[in-house]
Amino acid sequence: MPKAYYSTHSSKIGTIYVASTDEGICKVCIPGQTKRDFLGWIDRNLSGYELVESGARNKNIVDELGRYLDQRLVKFHTPLHMIGTDFQKKVWNELKRIRYGTTISYKELAKRVGVPGAYQTVGRVNAVNPLPIIIPCHRVLGVDSHLTGYAGGVKTKEFLLRLEGALLL
C-alpha cells in the first residue's frame, strides 16, 4: 500500500497543513482552510494510501514556504504530485508559469489554457487548487484587477500579493 505523509506547521500566516506522497507534495491547506478541509481532501483523494504523520517527510516544502513568506524564495523546487483531472492539471501548470510579483486576469488564464471566454470555469479550477502558494492561484485577479475569492480568504490573497510586490496600494 502506498503511503501519504501529513504534518502540521506554524507559519507567519498561521497554521499550514501539508500532505505528500513518494511522488511529491500533493496538498497544502493554508489559513482560511481547516484541518477538517485538509482531512476531507485526503479521504477523497488518497483513500488507497496509508496515512503516516511525518514532519520530516514534508520538511523541504515547509522550509520553502517559510523562505517564501520571508521574501527569500521566489520559485518552489520541491516535487509536486498534482491530483486532479487533466484539465485541472493544465490550468495549474499554467498558473505555475505566472512569474513572482506579477498577476493576470481569469480571462487571460482562460485564453492561455485554450478556452477563451471560460474564465468562470478556470476560476472554479483555481478554487480547488490543492497547492495554494506553490501553484500561485493568488496571482489571478478579476476584472479591473479586482481581488476575488481565494481559498485562504481575500485578506491572505492580498497579503501574498503585497509580499511579492504585485499589489502596491
Side-chain angles (χ1 to χ4, degrees), residues 88-140:
Q88 287 172 328
K89 290 176 187 177
K90 183 176 183 176
V91 171
W92 298 333
N93 279 316
E94 190 59 40
L95 289 171
K96 291 188 325 185
R97 291 182 180 92
I98 305 170
R99 290 185 333 274
Y100 180 96
T102 65
T103 61
I104 66 169
S105 67
Y106 288 100
K107 187 174 183 177
E108 175 63 23
L109 180 59
K111 277 191 224 175
R112 289 184 183 187
V113 297
V115 290
Y119 50 88
Q120 289 178 330
T121 301
V122 297
R124 285 190 293 276
V125 171
N126 269 15
V128 297
N129 173 11
L131 296 164
I133 301 176
I134 300 161
I135 296 178
C137 54
H138 62 278
R139 296 179 188 154
V140 182

Side-chain angles (χ1 to χ4, degrees), residues 103-107 126 137-150 154-155 157-158 161 166-167 169:
T103 61
I104 66 169
S105 67
Y106 288 100
K107 187 174 183 177
N126 269 15
C137 54
H138 62 278
R139 296 179 188 154
V140 182
L141 305 176
V143 177
D144 299 325
S145 299
H146 182 73
L147 292 180
T148 57
Y150 183 64
V154 174
K155 288 198 179 291
K157 182 174 188 166
E158 180 180 2
L161 292 172
L167 192 61
L169 297 176

Side-chain angles (χ1 to χ4, degrees), residues 4-25:
Y5 309 93
Y6 73 96
S7 50
T8 305
H9 306 273
S10 295
S11 77
K12 68 176 8 174
I13 60 172
T15 302
I16 295 177
Y17 303 99
V18 178
S20 63
T21 66
D22 289 331
E23 290 183 50
I25 299 304

Side-chain angles (χ1 to χ4, degrees), residues 6-9 14-19 27-44 130 132 150-153:
Y6 73 96
S7 50
T8 305
H9 306 273
T15 302
I16 295 177
Y17 303 99
V18 178
K27 180 65 177 166
V28 172
C29 275
I30 59 176
Q33 300 171 313
T34 66
K35 186 171 187 175
R36 184 177 179 168
D37 296 331
F38 177 69
L39 295 173
W41 186 92
I42 288 173
D43 284 345
R44 288 186 306 279
Y150 183 64

